[in-house]
Amino acid sequence: MDSILVRGGGKLSGQIPIAGAKNACLALMPATLLSDEPLTLTNAPRLSDIRTMTELLGSLGAEVTSLQEGKVLAMASHGPINTRAEYDIVRKMRASNLVLGPLLAREGHAEVSLPGGCAIGARPMDIHTDGLAKMGAQIDLRDGYLHAKADGGKLRGAVIDFPFASVGATENIMMAATLAKGTTVINNAAREPEIVDLADCLRAMGAQIDGDGTSTVTIQGVDRLHGATHRVVTDRIELGTYMLAPAICGGEVELLGGRIDLLEAFCEKLDAAGISVSETENGLSVTRREDQIRAVDVTTEPFPGFPTDLQAQMMALLCTADGTSVLEEKIFENRFMHAPELIRMGADIEVHGGTATVKGVAKLKGAPVMATDLRASVSLILAGMAAEGETTVSRVYHLDRGYEHVVTKLRGVGADIERIKS
Ligand code: UD1
């Protein structure tokens, strides 16, 4: 298995282009199942998760053609659709569950494997299934698969109150509701930019959706959706990750395509830590104001709060801050797997339940480390870039799921990093 070798040291300078959002693209791709006309996505990221979704959609009878080295995905679902999403593919990636709503809306039934656990927590699907049940679906769990069937072969509109603003459930219900009979209202909907991006695409396909980006989303069902071309929104998590590179190493880096409105809560915390973010003609520029990072407390929350997907990377920054920072993880119950690895690099971190207390140390030291999830892996790379000596990060396949050309992008701003082929 490949690994990544990082030598800590110098300041960074230059530009990093930010890709289209993985999490938006993974929700946009299943939307192709809602129409028999072509759906084309531009600004798609080149990632293994996108290849997994391509494989899943292919197994369902959709065609996904990767053009311009993967930056454009031309999709079509005009043939017969297979409604069974197999465990072998679904288990690789939880976002596979996003085919459930579209399959049910189009075919009136679907059999989708439950994704199973993942490193950061149990992640059940009750919010998705309770919402679809309100729309008239009967859903049973048999043999590890959700067997869903719409009453009378067609979903109907409903008022759905989410107990928690789940991103995936908002996406699934929103897609299902586009072709349902009548109006669906989602209360306590997730407000993430990826939801707005999906709504924009669905509207371009002829869907009637209002209120996306707020807590109440209203979808008026239509008889059919048509084809469209849609540009995937900027990846705010890739953006935030690379904003932390000059924050940790010093120097100044411009993030091409970056937008503050995607990351306001995160930018406020960077400012409090002593990092300046300014808008440029082509994106955002990030630089450290003082030699010493200041400690800040962080609590993860649904958008517009501080994103859970940037918690591990922020922890890497705070390891060398002046003072003690408290990080509270409110979205996932088991998302501090990077802490023991950072401790191996000399960090002073104590974890109690959903709270991590980070006492800043003068310097981290390079070490062989590994991570169990995508964001944890990249936090170890960031930590390695600031550490004395060499850090080797193994289990690189996690990184390939969510960061395209990570080595090239960081080398481009002066980081001493390379991929070691095994
Ligand atoms: C999405 C993102 C992921 C991000 C997360 C939270 C994608 C592909 N992934 O994941 O990167 O970390 O949002 O911002 O977009 N929950 C339930 N029952 C459900 C659904 C969720 O209890 O039916 C719980 C989960 O276990 C978790 C919390 O709700 O604790 C948030 O999950 P959710 O917002 O659904 O995240 P995902 O859509 O899976």
Side-chain angles (χ1 to χ4, degrees), residues 23 26 94-95 123-128 164-168 192 308-309 331-332 335:
N23 286 351
L26 289 175
R94 180 177 161 85
R123 301 177 92 178
M125 276 197 65
D126 53 322
I127 305 176
H128 303 238
F164 179 84
S166 157
V167 174
E192 270 67 4
T308 175
D309 287 350
I331 309 292
F332 294 109
R335 206 171 196 184

mmCIF file with all atom_site columns, all heavy atoms in Angstrom, residues 23 26 94-95 123-128 164-168 192 308-309 331-332 335, ligand 1:
data_model
loop_
_atom_site.group_PDB
_atom_site.id
_atom_site.type_symbol
_atom_site.label_atom_id
_atom_site.label_alt_id
_atom_site.label_comp_id
_atom_site.label_asym_id
_atom_site.label_entity_id
_atom_site.label_seq_id
_atom_site.pdbx_PDB_ins_code
_atom_site.Cartn_x
_atom_site.Cartn_y
_atom_site.Cartn_z
_atom_site.occupancy
_atom_site.B_iso_or_equiv
_atom_site.pdbx_formal_charge
_atom_site.auth_seq_id
_atom_site.auth_comp_id
_atom_site.auth_asym_id
_atom_site.auth_atom_id
_atom_site.pdbx_PDB_model_num
ATOM   1   N N   . ASN A 1 23  ? -18.692 15.997 -1.795 1.00 0.00 ? 23  ASN A N   1
ATOM   2   C CA  . ASN A 1 23  ? -19.994 15.688 -1.195 1.00 0.00 ? 23  ASN A CA  1
ATOM   3   C C   . ASN A 1 23  ? -21.157 16.211 -2.028 1.00 0.00 ? 23  ASN A C   1
ATOM   4   O O   . ASN A 1 23  ? -22.240 15.631 -2.008 1.00 0.00 ? 23  ASN A O   1
ATOM   5   C CB  . ASN A 1 23  ? -20.069 16.250 0.232  1.00 0.00 ? 23  ASN A CB  1
ATOM   6   C CG  . ASN A 1 23  ? -19.226 15.424 1.195  1.00 0.00 ? 23  ASN A CG  1
ATOM   7   O OD1 . ASN A 1 23  ? -18.727 14.357 0.833  1.00 0.00 ? 23  ASN A OD1 1
ATOM   8   N ND2 . ASN A 1 23  ? -19.066 15.910 2.408  1.00 0.00 ? 23  ASN A ND2 1
ATOM   9   N N   . LEU A 1 26  ? -21.386 13.655 -5.077 1.00 0.00 ? 26  LEU A N   1
ATOM   10  C CA  . LEU A 1 26  ? -21.949 12.344 -4.718 1.00 0.00 ? 26  LEU A CA  1
ATOM   11  C C   . LEU A 1 26  ? -23.466 12.400 -4.574 1.00 0.00 ? 26  LEU A C   1
ATOM   12  O O   . LEU A 1 26  ? -24.140 11.381 -4.707 1.00 0.00 ? 26  LEU A O   1
ATOM   13  C CB  . LEU A 1 26  ? -21.327 11.852 -3.400 1.00 0.00 ? 26  LEU A CB  1
ATOM   14  C CG  . LEU A 1 26  ? -19.868 11.432 -3.505 1.00 0.00 ? 26  LEU A CG  1
ATOM   15  C CD1 . LEU A 1 26  ? -19.314 11.092 -2.122 1.00 0.00 ? 26  LEU A CD1 1
ATOM   16  C CD2 . LEU A 1 26  ? -19.706 10.230 -4.442 1.00 0.00 ? 26  LEU A CD2 1
ATOM   17  N N   . ARG A 1 94  ? -20.697 5.278  2.369  1.00 0.00 ? 94  ARG A N   1
ATOM   18  C CA  . ARG A 1 94  ? -22.022 5.525  2.917  1.00 0.00 ? 94  ARG A CA  1
ATOM   19  C C   . ARG A 1 94  ? -22.908 6.336  1.959  1.00 0.00 ? 94  ARG A C   1
ATOM   20  O O   . ARG A 1 94  ? -24.120 6.131  1.895  1.00 0.00 ? 94  ARG A O   1
ATOM   21  C CB  . ARG A 1 94  ? -21.880 6.265  4.246  1.00 0.00 ? 94  ARG A CB  1
ATOM   22  C CG  . ARG A 1 94  ? -23.205 6.564  4.870  1.00 0.00 ? 94  ARG A CG  1
ATOM   23  C CD  . ARG A 1 94  ? -23.074 7.231  6.214  1.00 0.00 ? 94  ARG A CD  1
ATOM   24  N NE  . ARG A 1 94  ? -24.307 7.893  6.566  1.00 0.00 ? 94  ARG A NE  1
ATOM   25  C CZ  . ARG A 1 94  ? -25.345 7.299  7.152  1.00 0.00 ? 94  ARG A CZ  1
ATOM   26  N NH1 . ARG A 1 94  ? -25.280 6.027  7.467  1.00 0.00 ? 94  ARG A NH1 1
ATOM   27  N NH2 . ARG A 1 94  ? -26.430 7.973  7.423  1.00 0.00 ? 94  ARG A NH2 1
ATOM   28  N N   . ALA A 1 95  ? -22.289 7.243  1.201  1.00 0.00 ? 95  ALA A N   1
ATOM   29  C CA  . ALA A 1 95  ? -23.090 8.100  0.308  1.00 0.00 ? 95  ALA A CA  1
ATOM   30  C C   . ALA A 1 95  ? -23.834 7.292  -0.755 1.00 0.00 ? 95  ALA A C   1
ATOM   31  O O   . ALA A 1 95  ? -24.714 7.827  -1.429 1.00 0.00 ? 95  ALA A O   1
ATOM   32  C CB  . ALA A 1 95  ? -22.196 9.145  -0.346 1.00 0.00 ? 95  ALA A CB  1
ATOM   33  N N   . ARG A 1 123 ? -23.764 5.895  12.403 1.00 0.00 ? 123 ARG A N   1
ATOM   34  C CA  . ARG A 1 123 ? -24.443 6.510  11.260 1.00 0.00 ? 123 ARG A CA  1
ATOM   35  C C   . ARG A 1 123 ? -25.649 5.714  10.765 1.00 0.00 ? 123 ARG A C   1
ATOM   36  O O   . ARG A 1 123 ? -25.631 5.153  9.658  1.00 0.00 ? 123 ARG A O   1
ATOM   37  C CB  . ARG A 1 123 ? -23.438 6.750  10.129 1.00 0.00 ? 123 ARG A CB  1
ATOM   38  C CG  . ARG A 1 123 ? -22.314 7.646  10.563 1.00 0.00 ? 123 ARG A CG  1
ATOM   39  C CD  . ARG A 1 123 ? -21.288 7.840  9.506  1.00 0.00 ? 123 ARG A CD  1
ATOM   40  N NE  . ARG A 1 123 ? -21.531 9.012  8.671  1.00 0.00 ? 123 ARG A NE  1
ATOM   41  C CZ  . ARG A 1 123 ? -20.734 9.392  7.694  1.00 0.00 ? 123 ARG A CZ  1
ATOM   42  N NH1 . ARG A 1 123 ? -19.672 8.699  7.410  1.00 0.00 ? 123 ARG A NH1 1
ATOM   43  N NH2 . ARG A 1 123 ? -21.007 10.455 6.981  1.00 0.00 ? 123 ARG A NH2 1
ATOM   44  N N   . PRO A 1 124 ? -26.727 5.678  11.530 1.00 0.00 ? 124 PRO A N   1
ATOM   45  C CA  . PRO A 1 124 ? -27.935 4.973  11.077 1.00 0.00 ? 124 PRO A CA  1
ATOM   46  C C   . PRO A 1 124 ? -28.628 5.699  9.932  1.00 0.00 ? 124 PRO A C   1
ATOM   47  O O   . PRO A 1 124 ? -28.202 6.783  9.521  1.00 0.00 ? 124 PRO A O   1
ATOM   48  C CB  . PRO A 1 124 ? -28.817 4.981  12.324 1.00 0.00 ? 124 PRO A CB  1
ATOM   49  C CG  . PRO A 1 124 ? -28.316 6.083  13.175 1.00 0.00 ? 124 PRO A CG  1
ATOM   50  C CD  . PRO A 1 124 ? -26.874 6.285  12.846 1.00 0.00 ? 124 PRO A CD  1
ATOM   51  N N   . MET A 1 125 ? -29.735 5.096  9.434  1.00 0.00 ? 125 MET A N   1
ATOM   52  C CA  . MET A 1 125 ? -30.466 5.707  8.307  1.00 0.00 ? 125 MET A CA  1
ATOM   53  C C   . MET A 1 125 ? -31.921 5.988  8.655  1.00 0.00 ? 125 MET A C   1
ATOM   54  O O   . MET A 1 125 ? -32.757 6.140  7.768  1.00 0.00 ? 125 MET A O   1
ATOM   55  C CB  . MET A 1 125 ? -30.397 4.783  7.100  1.00 0.00 ? 125 MET A CB  1
ATOM   56  C CG  . MET A 1 125 ? -29.125 4.952  6.305  1.00 0.00 ? 125 MET A CG  1
ATOM   57  S SD  . MET A 1 125 ? -29.267 4.244  4.685  1.00 0.00 ? 125 MET A SD  1
ATOM   58  C CE  . MET A 1 125 ? -30.518 5.230  3.908  1.00 0.00 ? 125 MET A CE  1
ATOM   59  N N   . ASP A 1 126 ? -32.214 6.030  9.943  1.00 0.00 ? 126 ASP A N   1
ATOM   60  C CA  . ASP A 1 126 ? -33.617 6.180  10.360 1.00 0.00 ? 126 ASP A CA  1
ATOM   61  C C   . ASP A 1 126 ? -34.260 7.479  9.885  1.00 0.00 ? 126 ASP A C   1
ATOM   62  O O   . ASP A 1 126 ? -35.457 7.509  9.577  1.00 0.00 ? 126 ASP A O   1
ATOM   63  C CB  . ASP A 1 126 ? -33.724 6.062  11.894 1.00 0.00 ? 126 ASP A CB  1
ATOM   64  C CG  . ASP A 1 126 ? -32.786 7.024  12.606 1.00 0.00 ? 126 ASP A CG  1
ATOM   65  O OD1 . ASP A 1 126 ? -31.657 7.224  12.128 1.00 0.00 ? 126 ASP A OD1 1
ATOM   66  O OD2 . ASP A 1 126 ? -33.179 7.591  13.637 1.00 0.00 ? 126 ASP A OD2 1
ATOM   67  N N   . ILE A 1 127 ? -33.487 8.539  9.791  1.00 0.00 ? 127 ILE A N   1
ATOM   68  C CA  . ILE A 1 127 ? -34.084 9.825  9.369  1.00 0.00 ? 127 ILE A CA  1
ATOM   69  C C   . ILE A 1 127 ? -34.512 9.735  7.898  1.00 0.00 ? 127 ILE A C   1
ATOM   70  O O   . ILE A 1 127 ? -35.575 10.214 7.512  1.00 0.00 ? 127 ILE A O   1
ATOM   71  C CB  . ILE A 1 127 ? -33.109 10.998 9.615  1.00 0.00 ? 127 ILE A CB  1
ATOM   72  C CG1 . ILE A 1 127 ? -32.662 11.005 11.091 1.00 0.00 ? 127 ILE A CG1 1
ATOM   73  C CG2 . ILE A 1 127 ? -33.757 12.329 9.246  1.00 0.00 ? 127 ILE A CG2 1
ATOM   74  C CD1 . ILE A 1 127 ? -31.631 12.055 11.453 1.00 0.00 ? 127 ILE A CD1 1
ATOM   75  N N   . HIS A 1 128 ? -33.699 9.045  7.089  1.00 0.00 ? 128 HIS A N   1
ATOM   76  C CA  . HIS A 1 128 ? -34.054 8.834  5.667  1.00 0.00 ? 128 HIS A CA  1
ATOM   77  C C   . HIS A 1 128 ? -35.335 7.997  5.581  1.00 0.00 ? 128 HIS A C   1
ATOM   78  O O   . HIS A 1 128 ? -36.281 8.353  4.877  1.00 0.00 ? 128 HIS A O   1
ATOM   79  C CB  . HIS A 1 128 ? -32.965 8.050  4.926  1.00 0.00 ? 128 HIS A CB  1
ATOM   80  C CG  . HIS A 1 128 ? -31.597 8.655  4.958  1.00 0.00 ? 128 HIS A CG  1
ATOM   81  N ND1 . HIS A 1 128 ? -30.902 8.993  3.816  1.00 0.00 ? 128 HIS A ND1 1
ATOM   82  C CD2 . HIS A 1 128 ? -30.754 8.970  5.980  1.00 0.00 ? 128 HIS A CD2 1
ATOM   83  C CE1 . HIS A 1 128 ? -29.722 9.475  4.131  1.00 0.00 ? 128 HIS A CE1 1
ATOM   84  N NE2 . HIS A 1 128 ? -29.605 9.465  5.445  1.00 0.00 ? 128 HIS A NE2 1
ATOM   85  N N   . PHE A 1 164 ? -33.070 15.709 13.416 1.00 0.00 ? 164 PHE A N   1
ATOM   86  C CA  . PHE A 1 164 ? -31.716 16.278 13.302 1.00 0.00 ? 164 PHE A CA  1
ATOM   87  C C   . PHE A 1 164 ? -31.535 16.689 11.842 1.00 0.00 ? 164 PHE A C   1
ATOM   88  O O   . PHE A 1 164 ? -32.042 16.015 10.938 1.00 0.00 ? 164 PHE A O   1
ATOM   89  C CB  . PHE A 1 164 ? -30.668 15.216 13.698 1.00 0.00 ? 164 PHE A CB  1
ATOM   90  C CG  . PHE A 1 164 ? -29.259 15.713 13.581 1.00 0.00 ? 164 PHE A CG  1
ATOM   91  C CD1 . PHE A 1 164 ? -28.677 16.438 14.614 1.00 0.00 ? 164 PHE A CD1 1
ATOM   92  C CD2 . PHE A 1 164 ? -28.519 15.484 12.428 1.00 0.00 ? 164 PHE A CD2 1
ATOM   93  C CE1 . PHE A 1 164 ? -27.385 16.923 14.498 1.00 0.00 ? 164 PHE A CE1 1
ATOM   94  C CE2 . PHE A 1 164 ? -27.224 15.974 12.303 1.00 0.00 ? 164 PHE A CE2 1
ATOM   95  C CZ  . PHE A 1 164 ? -26.654 16.686 13.345 1.00 0.00 ? 164 PHE A CZ  1
ATOM   96  N N   . ALA A 1 165 ? -30.812 17.775 11.611 1.00 0.00 ? 165 ALA A N   1
ATOM   97  C CA  . ALA A 1 165 ? -30.652 18.291 10.240 1.00 0.00 ? 165 ALA A CA  1
ATOM   98  C C   . ALA A 1 165 ? -29.641 17.441 9.465  1.00 0.00 ? 165 ALA A C   1
ATOM   99  O O   . ALA A 1 165 ? -28.518 17.872 9.203  1.00 0.00 ? 165 ALA A O   1
ATOM   100 C CB  . ALA A 1 165 ? -30.220 19.747 10.287 1.00 0.00 ? 165 ALA A CB  1
ATOM   101 N N   . SER A 1 166 ? -30.042 16.238 9.108  1.00 0.00 ? 166 SER A N   1
ATOM   102 C CA  . SER A 1 166 ? -29.151 15.314 8.393  1.00 0.00 ? 166 SER A CA  1
ATOM   103 C C   . SER A 1 166 ? -28.962 15.751 6.940  1.00 0.00 ? 166 SER A C   1
ATOM   104 O O   . SER A 1 166 ? -29.932 15.999 6.221  1.00 0.00 ? 166 SER A O   1
ATOM   105 C CB  . SER A 1 166 ? -29.751 13.896 8.441  1.00 0.00 ? 166 SER A CB  1
ATOM   106 O OG  . SER A 1 166 ? -29.253 13.112 7.377  1.00 0.00 ? 166 SER A OG  1
ATOM   107 N N   . VAL A 1 167 ? -27.711 15.800 6.527  1.00 0.00 ? 167 VAL A N   1
ATOM   108 C CA  . VAL A 1 167 ? -27.386 16.206 5.160  1.00 0.00 ? 167 VAL A CA  1
ATOM   109 C C   . VAL A 1 167 ? -27.926 15.170 4.163  1.00 0.00 ? 167 VAL A C   1
ATOM   110 O O   . VAL A 1 167 ? -28.670 15.491 3.239  1.00 0.00 ? 167 VAL A O   1
ATOM   111 C CB  . VAL A 1 167 ? -25.852 16.358 4.998  1.00 0.00 ? 167 VAL A CB  1
ATOM   112 C CG1 . VAL A 1 167 ? -25.476 16.632 3.555  1.00 0.00 ? 167 VAL A CG1 1
ATOM   113 C CG2 . VAL A 1 167 ? -25.330 17.461 5.909  1.00 0.00 ? 167 VAL A CG2 1
ATOM   114 N N   . GLY A 1 168 ? -27.553 13.912 4.372  1.00 0.00 ? 168 GLY A N   1
ATOM   115 C CA  . GLY A 1 168 ? -27.946 12.863 3.427  1.00 0.00 ? 168 GLY A CA  1
ATOM   116 C C   . GLY A 1 168 ? -29.458 12.688 3.368  1.00 0.00 ? 168 GLY A C   1
ATOM   117 O O   . GLY A 1 168 ? -30.022 12.499 2.282  1.00 0.00 ? 168 GLY A O   1
ATOM   118 N N   . GLU A 1 192 ? -26.561 22.934 4.327  1.00 0.00 ? 192 GLU A N   1
ATOM   119 C CA  . GLU A 1 192 ? -25.218 22.933 3.745  1.00 0.00 ? 192 GLU A CA  1
ATOM   120 C C   . GLU A 1 192 ? -25.226 23.439 2.283  1.00 0.00 ? 192 GLU A C   1
ATOM   121 O O   . GLU A 1 192 ? -26.213 23.230 1.560  1.00 0.00 ? 192 GLU A O   1
ATOM   122 C CB  . GLU A 1 192 ? -24.661 21.501 3.761  1.00 0.00 ? 192 GLU A CB  1
ATOM   123 C CG  . GLU A 1 192 ? -23.884 21.099 5.009  1.00 0.00 ? 192 GLU A CG  1
ATOM   124 C CD  . GLU A 1 192 ? -24.711 21.003 6.289  1.00 0.00 ? 192 GLU A CD  1
ATOM   125 O OE1 . GLU A 1 192 ? -25.940 21.178 6.221  1.00 0.00 ? 192 GLU A OE1 1
ATOM   126 O OE2 . GLU A 1 192 ? -24.123 20.759 7.353  1.00 0.00 ? 192 GLU A OE2 1
ATOM   127 N N   . THR A 1 308 ? -17.778 19.563 10.924 1.00 0.00 ? 308 THR A N   1
ATOM   128 C CA  . THR A 1 308 ? -17.105 18.385 11.487 1.00 0.00 ? 308 THR A CA  1
ATOM   129 C C   . THR A 1 308 ? -15.982 17.902 10.567 1.00 0.00 ? 308 THR A C   1
ATOM   130 O O   . THR A 1 308 ? -14.959 17.390 11.032 1.00 0.00 ? 308 THR A O   1
ATOM   131 C CB  . THR A 1 308 ? -18.113 17.250 11.765 1.00 0.00 ? 308 THR A CB  1
ATOM   132 O OG1 . THR A 1 308 ? -17.397 16.101 12.203 1.00 0.00 ? 308 THR A OG1 1
ATOM   133 C CG2 . THR A 1 308 ? -18.940 16.872 10.550 1.00 0.00 ? 308 THR A CG2 1
ATOM   134 N N   . ASP A 1 309 ? -16.160 18.076 9.265  1.00 0.00 ? 309 ASP A N   1
ATOM   135 C CA  . ASP A 1 309 ? -15.151 17.593 8.308  1.00 0.00 ? 309 ASP A CA  1
ATOM   136 C C   . ASP A 1 309 ? -13.853 18.413 8.334  1.00 0.00 ? 309 ASP A C   1
ATOM   137 O O   . ASP A 1 309 ? -12.909 18.083 7.610  1.00 0.00 ? 309 ASP A O   1
ATOM   138 C CB  . ASP A 1 309 ? -15.729 17.581 6.883  1.00 0.00 ? 309 ASP A CB  1
ATOM   139 C CG  . ASP A 1 309 ? -16.741 16.458 6.681  1.00 0.00 ? 309 ASP A CG  1
ATOM   140 O OD1 . ASP A 1 309 ? -16.874 15.587 7.554  1.00 0.00 ? 309 ASP A OD1 1
ATOM   141 O OD2 . ASP A 1 309 ? -17.407 16.443 5.625  1.00 0.00 ? 309 ASP A OD2 1
ATOM   142 N N   . ILE A 1 331 ? -21.237 16.134 16.015 1.00 0.00 ? 331 ILE A N   1
ATOM   143 C CA  . ILE A 1 331 ? -21.945 15.469 14.910 1.00 0.00 ? 331 ILE A CA  1
ATOM   144 C C   . ILE A 1 331 ? -21.727 13.949 14.947 1.00 0.00 ? 331 ILE A C   1
ATOM   145 O O   . ILE A 1 331 ? -22.664 13.176 14.799 1.00 0.00 ? 331 ILE A O   1
ATOM   146 C CB  . ILE A 1 331 ? -21.490 16.018 13.526 1.00 0.00 ? 331 ILE A CB  1
ATOM   147 C CG1 . ILE A 1 331 ? -21.549 17.553 13.506 1.00 0.00 ? 331 ILE A CG1 1
ATOM   148 C CG2 . ILE A 1 331 ? -22.321 15.410 12.399 1.00 0.00 ? 331 ILE A CG2 1
ATOM   149 C CD1 . ILE A 1 331 ? -22.927 18.164 13.557 1.00 0.00 ? 331 ILE A CD1 1
ATOM   150 N N   . PHE A 1 332 ? -20.478 13.536 15.129 1.00 0.00 ? 332 PHE A N   1
ATOM   151 C CA  . PHE A 1 332 ? -20.171 12.105 15.134 1.00 0.00 ? 332 PHE A CA  1
ATOM   152 C C   . PHE A 1 332 ? -19.575 11.704 16.487 1.00 0.00 ? 332 PHE A C   1
ATOM   153 O O   . PHE A 1 332 ? -18.795 12.455 17.067 1.00 0.00 ? 332 PHE A O   1
ATOM   154 C CB  . PHE A 1 332 ? -19.192 11.755 14.008 1.00 0.00 ? 332 PHE A CB  1
ATOM   155 C CG  . PHE A 1 332 ? -19.787 11.952 12.647 1.00 0.00 ? 332 PHE A CG  1
ATOM   156 C CD1 . PHE A 1 332 ? -19.364 12.985 11.831 1.00 0.00 ? 332 PHE A CD1 1
ATOM   157 C CD2 . PHE A 1 332 ? -20.798 11.120 12.185 1.00 0.00 ? 332 PHE A CD2 1
ATOM   158 C CE1 . PHE A 1 332 ? -19.935 13.183 10.578 1.00 0.00 ? 332 PHE A CE1 1
ATOM   159 C CE2 . PHE A 1 332 ? -21.379 11.310 10.942 1.00 0.00 ? 332 PHE A CE2 1
ATOM   160 C CZ  . PHE A 1 332 ? -20.946 12.337 10.138 1.00 0.00 ? 332 PHE A CZ  1
ATOM   161 N N   . ARG A 1 335 ? -15.062 10.654 16.493 1.00 0.00 ? 335 ARG A N   1
ATOM   162 C CA  . ARG A 1 335 ? -14.301 11.315 15.442 1.00 0.00 ? 335 ARG A CA  1
ATOM   163 C C   . ARG A 1 335 ? -13.004 11.948 15.955 1.00 0.00 ? 335 ARG A C   1
ATOM   164 O O   . ARG A 1 335 ? -12.599 13.017 15.496 1.00 0.00 ? 335 ARG A O   1
ATOM   165 C CB  . ARG A 1 335 ? -15.159 12.346 14.730 1.00 0.00 ? 335 ARG A CB  1
ATOM   166 C CG  . ARG A 1 335 ? -14.644 12.530 13.329 1.00 0.00 ? 335 ARG A CG  1
ATOM   167 C CD  . ARG A 1 335 ? -15.484 13.338 12.435 1.00 0.00 ? 335 ARG A CD  1
ATOM   168 N NE  . ARG A 1 335 ? -15.034 13.097 11.069 1.00 0.00 ? 335 ARG A NE  1
ATOM   169 C CZ  . ARG A 1 335 ? -15.506 13.696 10.018 1.00 0.00 ? 335 ARG A CZ  1
ATOM   170 N NH1 . ARG A 1 335 ? -16.466 14.554 10.113 1.00 0.00 ? 335 ARG A NH1 1
ATOM   171 N NH2 . ARG A 1 335 ? -15.024 13.414 8.817  1.00 0.00 ? 335 ARG A NH2 1
HETATM 172 C C1  . UD1 B 2 .   ? -22.551 14.192 5.197  1.00 0.00 ? 1   UD1 B C1  1
HETATM 173 C C2  . UD1 B 2 .   ? -21.194 14.291 4.553  1.00 0.00 ? 1   UD1 B C2  1
HETATM 174 C C3  . UD1 B 2 .   ? -20.096 14.079 5.591  1.00 0.00 ? 1   UD1 B C3  1
HETATM 175 C C4  . UD1 B 2 .   ? -20.278 15.049 6.758  1.00 0.00 ? 1   UD1 B C4  1
HETATM 176 C C5  . UD1 B 2 .   ? -21.694 14.955 7.312  1.00 0.00 ? 1   UD1 B C5  1
HETATM 177 C C6  . UD1 B 2 .   ? -21.982 15.990 8.385  1.00 0.00 ? 1   UD1 B C6  1
HETATM 178 C C7  . UD1 B 2 .   ? -21.639 13.511 2.318  1.00 0.00 ? 1   UD1 B C7  1
HETATM 179 C C8  . UD1 B 2 .   ? -21.427 12.471 1.296  1.00 0.00 ? 1   UD1 B C8  1
HETATM 180 N N1  . UD1 B 2 .   ? -21.088 13.291 3.514  1.00 0.00 ? 1   UD1 B N1  1
HETATM 181 O O1  . UD1 B 2 .   ? -22.680 12.858 5.689  1.00 0.00 ? 1   UD1 B O1  1
HETATM 182 O O2  . UD1 B 2 .   ? -18.822 14.308 4.966  1.00 0.00 ? 1   UD1 B O2  1
HETATM 183 O O3  . UD1 B 2 .   ? -19.351 14.736 7.779  1.00 0.00 ? 1   UD1 B O3  1
HETATM 184 O O4  . UD1 B 2 .   ? -22.655 15.150 6.251  1.00 0.00 ? 1   UD1 B O4  1
HETATM 185 O O5  . UD1 B 2 .   ? -21.743 17.267 7.916  1.00 0.00 ? 1   UD1 B O5  1
HETATM 186 O O6  . UD1 B 2 .   ? -22.244 14.530 2.067  1.00 0.00 ? 1   UD1 B O6  1
HETATM 187 N N2  . UD1 B 2 .   ? -27.917 10.374 11.493 1.00 0.00 ? 1   UD1 B N2  1
HETATM 188 C C9  . UD1 B 2 .   ? -28.856 9.570  12.095 1.00 0.00 ? 1   UD1 B C9  1
HETATM 189 N N3  . UD1 B 2 .   ? -29.831 8.987  11.321 1.00 0.00 ? 1   UD1 B N3  1
HETATM 190 C C10 . UD1 B 2 .   ? -29.895 9.206  9.962  1.00 0.00 ? 1   UD1 B C10 1
HETATM 191 C C11 . UD1 B 2 .   ? -28.932 10.027 9.358  1.00 0.00 ? 1   UD1 B C11 1
HETATM 192 C C12 . UD1 B 2 .   ? -27.956 10.608 10.154 1.00 0.00 ? 1   UD1 B C12 1
HETATM 193 O O7  . UD1 B 2 .   ? -28.824 9.366  13.314 1.00 0.00 ? 1   UD1 B O7  1
HETATM 194 O O8  . UD1 B 2 .   ? -30.799 8.650  9.320  1.00 0.00 ? 1   UD1 B O8  1
HETATM 195 C C13 . UD1 B 2 .   ? -26.837 10.992 12.320 1.00 0.00 ? 1   UD1 B C13 1
HETATM 196 C C14 . UD1 B 2 .   ? -25.462 10.457 11.928 1.00 0.00 ? 1   UD1 B C14 1
HETATM 197 O O9  . UD1 B 2 .   ? -25.174 9.254  12.581 1.00 0.00 ? 1   UD1 B O9  1
HETATM 198 C C15 . UD1 B 2 .   ? -24.570 11.591 12.366 1.00 0.00 ? 1   UD1 B C15 1
HETATM 199 C C16 . UD1 B 2 .   ? -25.420 12.834 12.111 1.00 0.00 ? 1   UD1 B C16 1
HETATM 200 O O10 . UD1 B 2 .   ? -26.779 12.365 12.039 1.00 0.00 ? 1   UD1 B O10 1
HETATM 201 O O11 . UD1 B 2 .   ? -24.276 11.512 13.728 1.00 0.00 ? 1   UD1 B O11 1
HETATM 202 C C17 . UD1 B 2 .   ? -25.065 13.593 10.847 1.00 0.00 ? 1   UD1 B C17 1
HETATM 203 O O12 . UD1 B 2 .   ? -25.255 12.777 9.739  1.00 0.00 ? 1   UD1 B O12 1
HETATM 204 P P1  . UD1 B 2 .   ? -25.632 13.331 8.297  1.00 0.00 ? 1   UD1 B P1  1
HETATM 205 O O13 . UD1 B 2 .   ? -25.816 14.815 8.334  1.00 0.00 ? 1   UD1 B O13 1
HETATM 206 O O14 . UD1 B 2 .   ? -26.727 12.494 7.767  1.00 0.00 ? 1   UD1 B O14 1
HETATM 207 O O15 . UD1 B 2 .   ? -24.306 13.027 7.512  1.00 0.00 ? 1   UD1 B O15 1
HETATM 208 P P2  . UD1 B 2 .   ? -24.111 12.293 6.123  1.00 0.00 ? 1   UD1 B P2  1
HETATM 209 O O16 . UD1 B 2 .   ? -25.141 12.778 5.162  1.00 0.00 ? 1   UD1 B O16 1
HETATM 210 O O17 . UD1 B 2 .   ? -23.947 10.837 6.334  1.00 0.00 ? 1   UD1 B O17 1
#
